[in-house]
Structure formats: C-alpha cells, structure tokens
Amino acid sequence: MNQIPWRKSDIEFALSLGRDAEEQEANIEQYTSERMNERAERIRKRERAALLWLAERIGMKPHRFLFTVSGFRAGSFGYTTFSVKKRDGKGMRTITAPHKELKTVQRKIARELFCDYARSPHSFGFLGGSSVEALLPHAKNTSLLMVDVTDAFPSIERDVIFRWFRKRRYSWRVSDILADLATFEGRLSQGSPLSPRIFELMFEWIDERLSRLARRVGGTYTRYADNVFFSVPGARMDRKLVWTVLKKIWRMDLLNNVPRSEWYHPMFETHKLRVRTLPGNAVHSLGLVLRDGDVHNTRDFKRTLRKRIHHLRYLLGNGFETEAILSAWTMLCGTYSYARKETLSPKLVREVEELRGRIHQLQ
C-alpha cells in the first residue's frame, strides 16, 4: 500500500500546533503561579492584620509581638523540657517551660483576653482560693469522693482550643495564632502561664454539671486545681452516684450526641479514685487532714514548724549574724503561712508570735 507523501505545508501546520500547545501550557503555568502568589500574598496580609489586631488587644508593641511570634514559629523561642518530683514524691512531672519572650506574650494574653471570665465559685487553686477552702465545705458531710484528673493540661488538644476561641467569635486567623501560642506539640503546655487559665475555662462546664448534681442529691462539690471532691450527707455514697460523677467528668453521656468535629471541651480521664467515710476517720488530702468536722495540718507539717521555731530560737540565743536570723525567720514565715491557725496548737501560735516580736525588735 502506497503511503501518502507529507507536504511541506502539513509539516509546518503540525509544528505550529505544537508551538501553540507549548505556549498555552506555559501561559497556564504562569497564570497558576500568579494566582498562587496572589493567594499567598492575601494570606500573609490577613495573617499580619490578625497579628496586629492581637498585639493591640493585649497591649503589646506591634514590632515586639511580631518579633516574638516569628521567632516562636521559626523555633528560636521554644520550650525547655525538664522533670521535677511530684509533691507526694511518687514519680516525676514533666515541665515544658516557655522561653522568656514567649512567656511574656502568654502572660499578656492570659491577663487581657481572659480578664472578663470570673473564677467558678466551686474552683480553687489555679486562679485563687486555698486548699482549706476546697476541703472545709465537705467537713459537715459523711461520705467523700476524691478523684484526680489525669494529665490535666496535656489532655487539652490544640484543635479543642482553636474551636473554643472560634466559639467565642474570634476570627479564624486569631484563633489559629492563639492556639499555636498556647500549645506545645499539639497539647496544652505544662509550664505556660496560659495553661491554668485555659484549663479553668475548659473545666468550667464540668464544674457546673457537677454542682447541679450536688444540689440535686443534697451534697457538696468543690475542686482544687485538678483534684475533684464530691461529698454527700447520710449513708455511704453508693456506686451509682460514684459512676454518675465520673461520667460527668468523662462526658460519656454526650459522646453519642455531639460529633467530635464540634467539640470545644476536651475529654478528661481520671485516676486515684477514693471514697472515704468522714465521721470518726481522718482523711488526708492536699497536705491537710479532714477530721472531726474541721481541717487540720498534718503531723509532718507540725513537726517541720517546730523545727523552724527551734532553729530560729537557737540563732537568736547564740548571737548569730542578723542575716542568718532573718533568713531563718523568712523560712519560718513561709511554713507558717500554710498553717491552719484555727486548729493549730495554741502553744505553737504563741511561740511564733513571740518570735515575731523579737524579730521586730532586732530590725
């Protein structure tokens, strides 16, 4: 079969088609690149506008705020991780302390953005209130449930914080920046000044639910930091009520009603569950003892206080330097500030006040 010979005009036409296709592809790539650059520029402008608004809102100079946020995102102002012993001496607690510049920004955010949110009347510790105030309301009841929140700060994830800010009508960009500044590796930091405030706001809804439950059963609910206390009068607390309290902390009753994408409250877990009968028993918690309808200091605390008193008396009676005496007095005052004076031995109170008078004369 004979092949049809190619004419010169056909070859030129095919080459022109190829050139047109290449030009069209190049134009499309250029157009796409321009559109992407325009979009990136719009994102940068919106990001900068959000940063400037946030700097003005928290009362920081814009250039310093932009410098800190840029350094944080570049890794210059990050976190330092170290471990400390827990208060009870069992195990270690991991602390992620922010850089000095980052901590300054976090403190301003905590002070300026959350100033309108009042502390729950049932909450003590992080934002005010003492351990005595958390325990004393339970002294009149007969059965006390105590449970701790497991990994209270790391349980709060970045996405939950972001959705919480969006729920409060912050813009998408501002919420994204705030969620970044509040978290370390996608979770609330253990050493950030923002963490206690955010935890309180996240747990406030659970506080309300547990306080309503307490009113319904005639009981009492309080919380000190991540330690939950729930007590009732009458007979020993039954298992059904214990399970109800735990479910309200875990939010198990809401899992099937709200999709995860809409959660703006975190999921918490618990540990160290204890149920104690109060009348005739001494219940130890928060470094205090709940006994005989009142809150008392522990024997170890009283022993330490007596040692401080004896040490200061020894320094005063043997002519030591004023600097050493004042240092010992400062340590005694620090220990005495945690004393439950209403239930402390009158003799110890008199000894401290006597030493106070001698220190004033020395000064």
Side-chain angles (χ1 to χ4, degrees), residues 143 145 232 235-245 275:
S143 187
L145 177 150
V232 292
R236 180 179 173 83
M237 192 178 303
D238 59 23
R239 290 189 177 184
K240 182 178 180 182
L241 181 56
V242 172
W243 183 244
T244 302
V245 171
V275 179

Side-chain angles (χ1 to χ4, degrees), residues 84-312:
V84 296
K85 275 189 176 181
K86 292 185 178 180
R87 185 190 302 176
D88 57 5
K90 299 176 181 177
M92 304 293 288
R93 187 185 303 278
T94 302
I95 305 295
T96 49
H99 186 275
K100 181 176 67 174
E101 294 290 335
L102 179 59
K103 184 180 287 189
T104 300
V105 171
Q106 291 172 339
R107 280 177 177 156
K108 285 188 171 291
I109 292 173
R111 184 169 59 247
E112 299 297 333
L113 294 190
F114 301 132
C115 59
D116 296 333
Y117 294 94
R119 174 173 65 89
S120 167
H122 309 283
S123 169
F124 305 90
F126 284 139
L127 304 181
S130 65
S131 53
V132 173
E133 292 176 287
L135 284 176
L136 194 56
H138 302 279
K140 66 182 184 299
N141 291 330
T142 57
S143 187
L144 174 64
L145 177 150
M146 300 174 287
V147 67
D148 296 352
V149 179
T150 306
D151 295 330
F153 291 168
S155 296
I156 303 175
E157 299 176 352
R158 183 195 180 282
D159 291 344
V160 175
I161 298 173
F162 171 80
R163 286 193 291 269
W164 188 91
F165 281 114
R166 290 291 290 145
K167 190 76 174 178
R168 267 65 184 176
R169 307 300 181 124
Y170 287 92
S171 71
W172 194 96
R173 297 288 173 192
V174 171
S175 300
D176 188 61
I177 295 167
L178 290 171
D180 278 343
L181 292 174
T183 54
F184 171 72
E185 295 183 351
R187 296 181 179 276
L188 198 61
S189 165
Q190 190 73 37
S192 166
L194 268 174
S195 298
R197 176 67 73 170
I198 291 178
F199 174 80
E200 287 290 325
L201 293 172
M202 296 291 180
F203 212 89
E204 185 178 22
W205 187 51
I206 299 176
D207 288 337
E208 294 175 0
R209 301 177 71 207
L210 289 175
S211 63
R212 285 198 300 266
L213 175 63
R215 287 195 299 270
R216 192 165 68 243
V217 300
T220 305
Y221 164 71
T222 61
R223 175 175 56 83
Y224 183 82
D226 57 356
N227 302 274
V228 173
F229 302 94
F230 194 97
S231 64
V232 292
R236 180 179 173 83
M237 192 178 303
D238 59 23
R239 290 189 177 184
K240 182 178 180 182
L241 181 56
V242 172
W243 183 244
T244 302
V245 171
L246 294 178
K247 282 199 298 183
K248 289 191 179 297
I249 299 173
W250 301 336
R251 299 178 62 233
M252 288 184 62
D253 51 341
L254 299 179
L255 289 180
N256 297 327
N257 300 327
V258 182
R260 186 179 180 86
S261 60
E262 298 179 12
W263 290 355
Y264 56 94
H265 290 287
M267 299 293 295
F268 292 108
E269 297 180 0
T270 56
H271 67 144
K272 296 182 180 178
L273 173 65
R274 294 93 72 202
V275 179
R276 298 288 184 267
T277 302
L278 293 178
N281 295 313
V283 176
H284 293 254
S285 184
L286 305 179
L288 297 166
V289 180
L290 196 58
R291 184 183 71 244
D292 301 329
D294 211 334
V295 177
H296 304 257
N297 292 111
T298 63
R299 290 180 181 177
D300 289 339
F301 175 85
K302 295 174 185 177
R303 191 178 298 115
T304 301
L305 184 61
R306 289 191 184 97
K307 287 180 180 179
R308 300 252 190 261
I309 293 172
H310 175 74
H311 179 62
L312 182 57

